[in-house]
Amino acid sequence: MTDLTPVSFAATDLDAFANHAGRIAVIVTPEGKLEQSGRRVNRLSKGALQRFVDSDRFAKVKVGQVVSMAWPAGMAAEAVDLICLPRNHSVGEARKAGAALGKVRGDAALLMAVDGARRVAEVVFGCVMRDYTFSAHKTDAEANTTGITVMCTKPDEAEAAASPLLAIAEGTFMTRDLVNEPANVLTTTEFADRLAEMTSLGLEVEVLEEAELEKLGMRTLLCVGQGSDSPSKVVVMQWKGGAKDTAPLALVGKGVVFDTGGISLKPAAGMEDMTMDMGGAGVVAGTMRALAKRKAKANVVGLVGLVENMPSGNATRPGDVVTSMKGDTVEVINTDAEGRLVLCDVMWYAQERFEPAGMIDLATLTGAIIIGLGHENAGVFSNDDALCNAFLKAAEKENEGAWRMPLGKAYDDMLKSRIADMKNIGGRPAGSVTAAQFLQRFVKEDTPWIHLDIAGVASVKSATGLAPAGATGWGVMALSRLVADNFETE
Ligand code: BES
Ligand code: MN
Ligand code: ZN
């Protein structure tokens, strides 16, 4: 896995400020007020910092930006980086500043001379989240091992505040690695193996193989993978951090390791992007890792359906009718609408086995959600206002775009089949809604449920706030926040 930037915490040490050979970061308010640590650096630099802050040059600096002052007198540092943050900054502003700091620092060792546990933690988090490169397949890649040292008056407090955030960063990195990984490397077996490794973090991980899935009756899931040499699998990850008898929150992920479309083959142009079609499963995996790492006091179960959608002599044909685990029959009109076929069986299994307090599925489900919402927001569909609003609030707090979409009987009617209980597509209009409607047919009446269509946000062509181009890890922060705010005991 891509390693997080190493971060260490220490008590303020004036000699270290004077002798540090890399860069030193300090916080300054837009009005030009330095913190205690900043004032110390200022004294070492014989007042150069304050002169810079008082200059016209600084007047143009905005909240969340970083300006650098090179080779300060009286110090060994190559630069002092001034982070512009007001006293009452938002979480987003501190993270943005952290990301900006990460950018200017490059490979230099960074000493943060900053105060206030909470803000330090958020700045460090932004810096670490942005400091990600997927270099597993670059032969000339050199690991950047220069880390961040945080020096403040109460290093223990700062470390305690940062540690749950670093757990989330680690979960996000796992998601990004999985989503960036090409399909010849990340086969269904390799994916399951990487998840099984998380037992070392205290997660219970089970891998259900094809024979067991067959016995359970998961024919809709199996029919997607039957054209591939890679075996279909369902992986169940349980985190039992909550009270013994409380029902868990279930997270269900679409894990199509590659989506050719099957017999309803996709066009060649852009098909390589379908290596990210396991993005939902990737977010479930990363969230489970983050929860285990920060020892969340909640019961959460993550389930992923891992399949590869390939054309072959024994692939599912358009027109085939298959029976789901629930018992409902599906006429497969288009083998490229495969995600819903995978999810419906895993969702049914999750409810039968765990009777969850809530169920959230994540999937790169439809191209139509990209037409509707672009790369700014995931589509949110739900049968339960309370759970849905809790999620939207969590996503907003974490600056992860999420927008609620409608459900309704008229959309459901579009799935009627002449010969089976339903078709797997509803036609071009409202493609994302009919996909959600298909899933809802496999949600029990009393299960609060959210479907997140993340096709537009899982992977992007240009860098966003906290992520470089490629896999973003969208959702790990919001889901971890949802759990913290609504499902944790104490
Ligand atoms: N994996 C795709 C959806 C997708 C498209 C994800 C673009 C990311 C980027 C999904 O399996 C799919 O092929 N959906 C079809 C559904 C259609 C056949 C009803 C689509 O969106 O075109
Ligand atoms: Mn498809
Ligand atoms: Zn797909």
Side-chain angles (χ1 to χ4, degrees):
M1 208 187 92
T2 303
D3 291 324
L4 289 194
T5 312
V7 185
S8 59
F9 297 84
T12 305
D13 173 354
L14 274 184
D15 285 342
F17 286 2
N19 300 326
H20 180 73
R23 308 179 75 96
I24 297 185
V26 301
I27 292 177
V28 56
T29 67
E31 301 80 36
K33 281 232 172 351
L34 291 164
E35 293 180 317
Q36 190 184 15
S37 298
R39 289 198 296 276
R40 286 181 170 152
V41 175
N42 179 50
R43 252 171 271 141
L44 283 174
S45 75
K46 304 191 168 53
L49 219 62
Q50 192 64 55
R51 288 195 295 280
F52 184 66
V53 166
D54 293 339
S55 71
D56 289 349
R57 171 94 170 70
F58 183 79
K60 295 193 187 74
V61 178
K62 296 196 179 69
V63 170
Q65 289 181 339
V66 173
V67 274
S68 304
M69 193 181 85
W71 304 112
M75 302 170 66
E78 67 178 56
V80 174
D81 297 316
L82 292 126
I83 307 166
C84 181
L85 273 184
R87 285 206 199 292
N88 59 345
H89 61 82
S90 68
V91 165
E93 286 165 344
R95 291 180 183 180
K96 185 177 166 211
L101 183 62
K103 229 174 173 179
V104 300
R105 124 180 145 105
D107 289 346
L110 182 67
L111 178 69
M112 284 178 59
V114 289
D115 303 317
R118 192 75 217 145
R119 70 165 50 173
V120 172
E122 296 294 354
V123 172
V124 166
F125 179 65
C127 195
V128 168
M129 284 284 277
R130 189 67 179 74
D131 195 13
Y132 172 91
T133 344
F134 183 65
S135 52
H137 306 293
K138 293 273 196 192
T139 53
D140 61 353
E142 273 173 48
N144 174 14
T145 50
T146 54
I148 302 172
T149 307
V150 178
M151 278 196 173
C152 51
T153 40
K154 292 174 181 155
D156 294 348
E157 273 181 28
E159 186 161 13
S163 105
L165 291 170
L166 293 174
I168 289 163
E170 189 178 315
T172 303
F173 276 30
M174 181 185 198
T175 304
R176 289 178 186 170
D177 279 357
L178 290 167
V179 172
N180 281 326
E181 200 72 273
N184 61 328
V185 176
L186 193 74
T187 59
T188 54
T189 303
E190 171 67 16
F191 202 144
D193 288 349
R194 291 195 191 184
L195 299 182
E197 276 171 23
M198 290 205 290
T199 47
S200 64
L201 302 175
L203 285 161
E204 286 173 28
V205 184
E206 292 157 70
V207 181
L208 308 185
E209 304 289 351
E210 276 183 357
E212 289 162 272
L213 303 179
E214 201 79 64
K215 242 189 271 164
L216 286 163
M218 293 202 193
R219 282 304 318 160
T220 57
L221 179 143
L222 287 164
C223 91
V224 175
Q226 75 190 37
S228 168
D229 284 346
S230 294
S232 300
K233 293 168 198 277
V234 170
V235 182
V236 182
M237 295 161 272
Q238 293 188 69
W239 174 251
K240 296 174 177 170
K244 212 168 181 300
D245 45 5
T246 47
L249 172 68
L251 304 177
V252 179
K254 167 181 173 181
V256 177
V257 295
F258 196 79
D259 180 14
T260 64
I263 298 297
S264 312
L265 195 64
K266 286 184 181 293
M271 200 203 275
E272 69 279 5
D273 289 344
M274 286 303 116
T275 186
M276 53 69 100
D277 209 21
M278 32 53 65
V283 176
V284 172
T287 303
M288 295 309 292
R289 187 181 199 96
L291 295 174
K293 267 274 171 178
R294 69 173 181 79
K295 300 213 172 356
K297 292 189 176 63
N299 296 331
V300 182
V301 53
L303 303 100
V304 295
L306 306 178
V307 302
E308 185 177 39
N309 188 19
M310 290 287 247
S312 99
N314 59 326
T316 295
R317 292 159 287 257
D320 284 2
V321 174
V322 287
T323 305
S324 65
M325 179 181 173
K326 180 186 175 194
D328 290 358
T329 58
V330 180
E331 184 185 9
V332 180
I333 300 292
N334 189 320
T335 64
D336 197 12
E338 85 295 343
R340 60 199 78 178
L341 299 175
V342 174
L343 285 171
C344 71
D345 272 345
V346 184
M347 285 163 56
W348 192 254
Y349 176 76
Q351 292 167 97
E352 289 277 283
R353 177 166 167 194
F354 295 106
E355 294 178 9
M359 177 166 70
I360 302 179
D361 78 80
L362 294 104
T364 49
L365 202 64
T366 66
I369 203 71
I370 310 177
I371 304 301
L373 300 176
H375 301 284
E376 310 307 319
N377 286 289
V380 181
F381 302 81
S382 182
N383 66 352
D384 187 278
D385 289 347
L387 182 64
C388 188
N389 289 335
F391 177 80
L392 291 172
K393 203 166 169 188
E396 193 182 351
K397 277 191 192 172
E398 300 294 327
N399 285 318
E400 290 187 314
W403 195 263
R404 191 168 183 180
M405 304 281 286
L407 289 165
K409 184 174 180 305
Y411 297 114
D412 184 74
D413 287 344
M414 292 159 79
L415 296 169
K416 278 184 185 149
S417 160
R418 182 174 58 82
I419 63 166
D421 295 338
M422 70 195 87
K423 300 186 292 190
N424 78 326
I425 56 168
R428 265 176 73 80
S432 305
V433 187
T434 53
Q437 215 64 64
F438 181 96
L439 296 176
Q440 193 177 7
R441 287 182 174 226
F442 298 86
V443 177
K444 295 184 181 183
E445 195 92 42
D446 54 359
T447 306
W449 159 75
I450 300 174
H451 159 57
L452 299 172
D453 193 335
I454 62 169
V457 294
S459 185
V460 294
K461 299 277 182 232
S462 49
T464 53
L466 294 179
T472 60
W474 182 98
V476 176
M477 294 192 296
L479 289 170
S480 185
R481 161 72 44 209
L482 177 79
V483 170
D485 289 355
N486 303 275
F487 290 89
E488 292 200 40
T489 49
E490 266 193 357

